[in-house]
Amino acid sequence: LVSRIDALGAVPEMELPDSKLALLKEGSPAMVTLTTGETIQGKVRFISPRVDANTSLVRARILLPFDKGLRPGSFAQARFGATGADGVVAVPASAVRYESGGPSVMVVDANNRVKQTPVKLGERTGDYVQLIDGPPAGTRVLAVGSSFTLDGDIISPVEDGAGPAPAAPAAN
């Protein structure tokens, strides 16, 4: 709910699940999508120290630049911690291993040797999961079959949907 608009801009008040608090801090980027479909980038200005006991939601305020599409009382959706596709590292959800030590991915090095690497997960969107902490963008990870692979195994990777090599014709 957009609660206030002044010469400095708008300050919508958003509610988010308390489970997302670890991903959020004052100054974090926020992308606010208006009912018109327009998206505006802002920053988290305030996070309430109180969790609503009935809903488990926490209120946060976002500072947005002035925009004529913002009106007091209007509604908007916010995504926290990302400013669009730039700077966000995500992997297929199938690449994430869940074990007692926490989530991890299997990184594939230049020699096709896999190394189990712990990760901290962010938002899940469709078939992808954001990595808040883990290997840098561009790192090859095992997208499927990681639960059947051990740290140090050497694999024969198939790159991005190329599929397996065709079978050789049978000899007569």
Side-chain angles (χ1 to χ4, degrees):
L1 178 66
V2 178
S3 57
R4 180 170 60 87
I5 298 175
D6 58 29
L8 298 175
V11 184
E13 189 167 279
M14 304 290 178
E15 292 182 328
L16 65 151
D18 63 347
S19 62
K20 300 286 186 185
L21 280 177
L23 308 175
L24 194 63
K25 62 183 179 188
E26 288 184 20
S28 293
M31 295 299 289
V32 177
T33 304
L34 307 178
T35 54
T36 62
E38 180 183 2
T39 300
I40 304 169
Q41 183 176 334
K43 288 189 178 183
V44 176
R45 181 174 179 180
F46 170 79
I47 303 167
S48 174
R50 184 173 168 261
V51 177
D52 185 300
N54 295 322
T55 64
S56 295
L57 296 176
V58 176
R59 291 184 183 260
R61 292 191 188 120
I62 302 168
L63 180 61
L64 296 173
F66 179 79
D67 186 282
K68 64 182 178 182
L70 290 166
R71 296 194 178 3
S74 61
F75 287 88
Q77 288 186 326
R79 292 179 55 93
F80 297 100
T83 58
D86 297 336
V88 175
V89 177
V91 296
S94 59
V96 180
R97 293 173 64 146
Y98 297 92
E99 296 179 345
S100 61
S104 64
V105 296
M106 299 301 274
V107 171
V108 182
D109 70 14
N111 298 319
N112 294 328
R113 185 175 305 272
V114 295
K115 178 172 179 17
Q116 189 170 359
T117 305
V119 294
K120 183 175 178 186
L121 303 177
E123 288 187 39
R124 181 178 178 142
T125 304
D127 294 333
Y128 287 86
V129 177
Q130 177 187 10
L131 297 184
I132 293 175
D133 189 25
T139 303
R140 292 190 314 164
V141 297
L142 196 57
V144 294
S146 65
S147 59
F148 302 106
T149 309
L150 299 175
D151 198 31
D153 282 356
I154 296 177
I155 62 166
S156 297
V158 176
E159 301 291 331
D160 278 347
N172 288 342

